[in-house]
Amino acid sequence: MSDEAGQMLVVYDDPSDHRSLSIDDTSSTEESLDETRLSLETTNDTIPYIGQRFATHDAAYEFYSEFAKRCGFSIRRHRTEGKVGVGKGLTRRYFVCHRAGNTPIKNSNESKPQRNRKSSRCGCQAYMRISKAAELGGPEWRVTGFANHHNHELLEPNQVRFLPAYRTISESDKSRILMFAKTGMSVQQMMRLMELEKCVEPGYLPFTEKDVRNLLQSFRKLDPEEESIDLLRMCKNIKEKDPNFRFEYTLDSNNRLENIAWSYASSLQSYDIFGDTLVFDTTHRLTAFDMPLGIWVGMNNYGMPCFFGCALLREENSRSFSWAVKAFLGFMNGKAPQTILTDQNMCLKEAISMEMPTTKHALCIWMIVAKFPSWFNAVLGERYNEWKGEFYRLYNLESIQDFELGWRDMVNSFGLHTNRHIINLYGLRSLWALPFLRSYFFAGMTTIGQSKSINAFIQRFLSAQTRLAHFVEQVAVAVDFKDQAGEQQTMQQNLQNICLKTGAPMESHAASILTPFAFSKLQEQLVLAAHYASFQMEDGFLVRHHTKAEGGRKVYWVPREGIISCSCHQFEFSGILCRHALRVLSTGNCFQIPDRYLPIRWRRISTAGKLYQNNSSDNTERIQFLQNLVSALVTESAKSKERLDIATDQVSILLSRIREQPVSLQNTRETFHRNI
């Protein structure tokens, strides 16, 4: 070895590679036969070989990169070597497999959050080395080392394209993505549209959804103060156009936007009628600005989600949540819901207990269940599905005592005594298990099926945005779209021919008052009631299935006052009478369900037209006339598909025009409460 070669200066591009990649640091530019079986005689120009020449080291990199892509891996520049001395320049470069080296050990810094990302590096030894040689025609680069032995599996052609090295977004595609984002299109919609434009199969674009989200994130790195000013200006402009639009915000000590919450006029009207129970979903973030997003959602009388309000917070702590809840109550004139469902967040729990002391707080079961795979799949293995079935059985029990005994047996059976998630769930059981919640009204929002509807509703608000101010507009568009779609579904429900199954007068009476959604729930109970027997006791009735000799539910009925209650608490929980109470009413020759057990919140809007009356007798007559017109419209429209299509289109246009007119919330609210 020459003295000059012995004075090589080694420069590492990545400190982790110095520890793991075993490549001879001082080997000469002459490759030995032991290092590779490929030689100058290799004729396949698609595979690197010793002696292969390139005009530049970039050309060598591109060649090796293409070879790697065909083989199922990607490469990176590993290190360079140069001779000591000014002007000597580079003499050798190494390109290695993307999985070469080991994960570097990071020094922990308590002041900075650590990203817990799994590394793909596994010490792979595959590499290509090029060395610089001076020829008469000028300097060139030759392959002086090559090994293609990997200690990991190589990817298939349909998988290798997902490696970061091969994912690229062209400038033209970047422009289109930015244009799509300005329209409020979601990332998924962008991907599907560009696949159609480029005539490629789904999933075969040269970039992924994550790449698009990262790109949008880079677009959104705007001045926070400018964004805040634009957002507040947007809210004030909306307020000028619609006095019933409401918003609140706070500024920090540096006069920067800290928190903001808002609600629309249509949301205030909906809350007046359907604000008895709601979901406050805080599990999402506005990714563009890394802000926690809180959305208040309820359920209307047709079983469809309705939007109540929105909040963007800087922090997820008790102070921020407390402010958000207080702002929401301010929008709704201090009216708190009977019940509220949230995620398992202790800061939020503390805020609700402080600001809504009379509201029953419970945890969304679907948000808990969504975490089960990560919590229990590895722990339970093949018994995971068996355990999940047992969990659902316990969740749906009626008796607290049965739940406690069943939970103990479940823990013993599956050996989960020390599992921290099981311990935590049990400690919070009064907030999620139905045996503890059946005495409170939740309008059916605790069911998994209803959770899917609410989640799909919320997803409309999470479309990609380029500006914070645009998000307020986008939510308004989503709410308006949902309102229109809901009205169409409402009309379709009302036009359905209701099939009476029992022939009982109670059934036909309820069908004329309740919405199709609510009536279908009651009808299920009426059908089941025929299978139950009732026995009068000293203090009420005992009702049980006709095949059972023991057990049953206790029903208390006071005919003179029209009061009936059951130990199963279904009416308190859902607003729908249970089969046990219906059986007792039927046995007692009751041909109509008492009015108080047909709640206004489950009635048809047309039968509850009084909700929108004011004190004027002239308006009362006009509303009655309008109801007659609507009834005639429905009857005539149902006679053919063509008539129904025309009616749906024209009524949608008419409703849009009506919404543009101002509305007096005070009259609506006063009249509604007089009629409850």
Side-chain angles (χ1 to χ4, degrees):
M1 189 189 318
S2 65
D3 294 338
E4 189 176 58
Q7 297 176 8
M8 288 287 191
L9 174 66
V10 180
V11 181
Y12 286 88
D13 295 332
D14 189 320
S16 69
D17 297 333
H18 181 69
R19 297 190 307 273
S20 61
L21 194 64
S22 301
I23 299 176
D24 183 12
D25 291 340
T26 58
S27 61
S28 68
T29 59
E30 297 298 324
E31 188 66 37
S32 69
L33 292 177
D34 293 334
E35 289 179 310
T36 180
R37 295 186 182 277
L38 295 174
S39 65
L40 286 170
E41 282 75 24
T42 303
T43 57
N44 187 349
D45 287 340
T46 63
I47 302 176
Y49 57 88
I50 303 304
Q52 188 174 10
R53 301 181 181 186
F54 299 95
T56 65
H57 56 78
D58 287 333
Y61 178 85
E62 292 299 325
F63 175 84
Y64 190 30
S65 179
E66 286 298 318
F67 167 77
K69 187 175 183 180
R70 291 193 300 273
C71 291
F73 66 102
S74 66
I75 65 169
R76 71 173 189 272
R77 292 177 173 85
H78 171 57
R79 72 169 188 256
T80 59
E81 295 175 350
K83 297 176 182 179
V84 175
V86 179
K88 297 292 184 180
L90 299 177
T91 61
R92 187 178 295 176
R93 299 207 70 154
Y94 289 86
F95 306 129
V96 298
C97 173
H98 72 288
R99 302 195 66 178
N102 294 313
T103 306
I105 300 175
K106 297 181 180 179
N107 296 324
S108 60
N109 189 336
E110 295 181 357
S111 63
K112 295 182 179 180
Q114 299 295 316
R115 299 180 65 185
N116 186 22
R117 294 190 301 175
K118 186 177 180 180
S119 174
S120 65
R121 299 190 181 187
C122 62
C124 181
Q125 297 290 312
Y127 78 101
M128 184 178 85
R129 181 178 64 214
I130 58 174
S131 299
K132 191 175 185 180
E135 299 291 341
L136 294 176
E140 65 177 6
W141 294 84
R142 294 182 181 177
V143 176
T144 58
F146 173 64
N148 198 34
H149 303 294
H150 300 264
N151 64 350
H152 56 89
E153 291 186 4
L154 298 178
L155 301 177
E156 297 294 331
N158 64 336
Q159 297 174 319
V160 71
R161 58 193 177 86
F162 291 117
L163 291 175
Y166 304 126
R167 301 200 314 254
T168 57
I169 304 179
S170 66
E171 291 301 320
S172 60
D173 286 340
K174 289 179 182 179
S175 299
R176 289 194 63 72
I177 289 170
L178 180 57
M179 181 187 70
F180 292 152
K182 288 181 178 179
T183 67
M185 189 180 292
S186 71
V187 173
Q188 287 184 334
Q189 291 170 332
M190 294 181 197
M191 298 292 287
R192 300 295 85 81
L193 182 55
M194 297 183 78
E195 285 167 352
L196 291 173
E197 289 178 344
K198 296 177 180 293
C199 298
V200 300
E201 295 182 10
Y204 275 80
L205 287 172
F207 47 84
T208 64
E209 288 188 14
K210 181 179 180 181
D211 298 325
V212 174
R213 296 184 194 281
N214 290 339
L215 178 66
L216 291 173
Q217 182 73 22
S218 67
F219 284 155
R220 294 161 181 152
K221 290 180 179 177
L222 306 172
D223 184 355
E225 293 187 13
E226 181 183 341
E227 284 290 289
S228 301
I229 293 172
D230 287 348
L231 175 60
L232 295 177
R233 185 185 295 119
M234 172 67 69
C235 289
K236 290 175 182 177
N237 290 340
I238 297 176
K239 181 73 173 178
E240 290 177 0
K241 296 177 183 178
D242 181 4
N244 290 318
F245 173 77
R246 299 184 181 180
F247 74 102
E248 292 288 343
Y249 64 93
T250 61
L251 303 176
D252 63 15
S253 57
N254 295 318
N255 210 35
R256 295 179 301 182
L257 183 66
E258 186 177 32
N259 306 305
I260 185 167
W262 67 94
S263 185
Y264 307 97
S266 62
S267 301
L268 306 184
Q269 296 176 38
S270 295
Y271 187 83
D272 261 343
I273 306 171
F274 308 117
D276 42 17
T277 183
L278 56 86
V279 173
F280 186 30
D281 190 337
T282 58
T283 60
H284 304 282
R285 300 182 75 86
L286 196 59
T287 308
F289 304 92
D290 196 31
M291 297 180 72
L293 172 66
I295 301 176
W296 287 278
V297 182
M299 182 192 293
N300 68 13
N301 52 339
Y302 284 84
M304 291 177 284
C306 50
F307 175 86
F308 291 147
C310 213
L312 282 170
L313 311 173
R314 183 179 295 179
E315 302 290 343
E316 289 184 275
N317 53 37
S318 298
R319 176 175 168 272
S320 295
F321 285 134
S322 181
W323 176 88
V325 173
K326 189 180 296 184
F328 178 76
L329 289 176
F331 298 157
M332 305 308 171
N333 300 292
K335 177 185 174 183
Q338 296 176 31
T339 56
I340 185 170
L341 291 160
T342 72
D343 186 27
Q344 189 175 336
N345 187 310
M346 291 302 104
C347 292
L348 184 55
K349 180 178 182 295
E350 181 181 333
I352 290 173
S353 63
M354 182 183 302
E355 305 299 337
M356 294 180 173
T358 62
T359 297
K360 173 60 179 177
H361 177 215
L363 303 180
C364 292
I365 187 62
W366 67 83
M367 295 183 186
I368 294 175
V369 171
K371 301 171 185 175
F372 280 179
S374 61
W375 285 357
F376 302 114
N377 217 336
V379 175
L380 295 169
E382 295 180 351
R383 300 193 68 191
Y384 171 70
N385 288 330
E386 179 188 353
W387 171 85
K388 191 163 65 170
E390 178 63 10
F391 175 87
Y392 281 128
R393 188 189 71 81
L394 296 175
Y395 167 73
N396 285 293
L397 288 174
E398 291 182 4
S399 164
I400 293 178
Q401 182 179 3
D402 290 344
F403 175 86
E404 296 286 358
L405 293 174
W407 187 271
R408 184 182 62 190
D409 292 341
M410 179 267 289
V411 171
N412 291 333
S413 175
F414 291 89
L416 297 172
H417 303 83
T418 59
N419 185 278
R420 62 187 180 91
H421 299 300
I422 288 292
I423 295 172
N424 190 30
L425 281 173
Y426 183 73
L428 297 171
R429 63 194 181 283
S430 63
L431 298 179
W432 60 264
L434 292 188
F436 298 88
L437 301 176
R438 291 191 184 277
S439 298
Y440 302 92
F441 180 70
F442 287 97
M445 290 200 297
T446 57
T447 64
I448 299 297
Q450 202 60 45
S451 72
K452 293 180 180 178
S453 175
I454 293 173
N455 190 57
F457 180 64
I458 290 174
Q459 288 301 320
R460 293 196 58 83
F461 307 140
L462 304 179
S463 300
Q465 295 296 316
T466 55
R467 298 294 303 275
L468 186 57
H470 292 170
F471 183 70
V472 180
E473 287 183 315
Q474 191 62 28
V475 172
V477 170
V479 170
D480 186 60
F481 174 86
K482 188 64 182 180
D483 287 345
Q484 294 181 28
E487 284 158 2
Q488 291 180 358
Q489 292 179 40
T490 297
M491 182 176 291
Q492 290 172 2
Q493 276 195 37
N494 287 331
L495 290 174
Q496 290 175 355
N497 292 323
I498 295 177
C499 178
L500 301 180
K501 298 180 180 180
T502 68
M506 277 193 296
E507 184 183 21
S508 57
H509 173 241
S512 67
I513 295 177
L514 300 178
T515 63
F517 170 81
F519 175 71
S520 68
K521 304 298 182 184
L522 180 67
Q523 190 179 52
E524 290 176 7
Q525 298 301 313
L526 279 167
V527 171
L528 291 171
H531 298 271
Y532 282 72
S534 64
F535 307 92
Q536 189 162 5
M537 314 290 285
E538 291 184 2
D539 57 346
F541 292 82
L542 179 65
V543 182
R544 61 175 174 242
H545 197 271
H546 72 95
T547 62
K548 305 291 185 181
E550 296 180 355
R553 305 293 185 275
K554 291 293 293 291
V555 176
Y556 303 92
W557 184 30
V558 185
R560 287 174 298 180
E561 299 180 16
I563 297 176
I564 192 166
S565 64
C566 180
S567 60
C568 75
H569 297 294
Q570 177 167 308
F571 180 77
E572 292 85 347
F573 184 66
S574 65
I576 303 295
L577 273 181
C578 64
R579 66 200 75 171
H580 317 109
L582 291 169
R583 179 58 183 168
V584 171
L585 291 175
S586 178
T587 304
N589 298 321
C590 184
F591 299 106
Q592 287 190 356
I593 295 174
D595 196 58
R596 70 175 66 193
Y597 298 108
L598 297 172
I600 288 180
R601 73 110 55 230
W602 288 134
R603 297 189 182 193
R604 295 173 184 262
I605 291 296
S606 58
T607 63
K610 297 176 183 178
L611 295 176
Y612 302 102
Q613 295 176 10
N614 57 27
N615 295 328
S616 169
S617 60
D618 179 56
N619 275 1
T620 301
E621 294 176 1
R622 292 171 65 190
I623 289 174
Q624 183 62 52
F625 177 66
L626 178 60
Q627 288 181 358
N628 294 336
L629 285 178
V630 171
S631 178
L633 172 67
V634 172
T635 302
E636 292 297 322
S637 300
K639 292 180 179 180
S640 71
K641 181 180 181 300
E642 291 73 20
R643 288 187 175 196
L644 185 57
D645 290 341
I646 293 173
T648 302
D649 293 341
Q650 294 301 314
V651 170
S652 296
I653 295 172
L654 179 61
L655 283 173
S656 298
R657 291 179 57 190
I658 291 173
R659 282 202 187 93
E660 295 174 357
Q661 305 304 313
V663 61
S664 173
L665 287 176
Q666 188 62 33
N667 286 339
T668 299
R669 187 178 302 109
E670 290 175 355
T671 306
F672 170 68
H673 289 297
R674 285 200 305 273
N675 286 277
I676 291 181

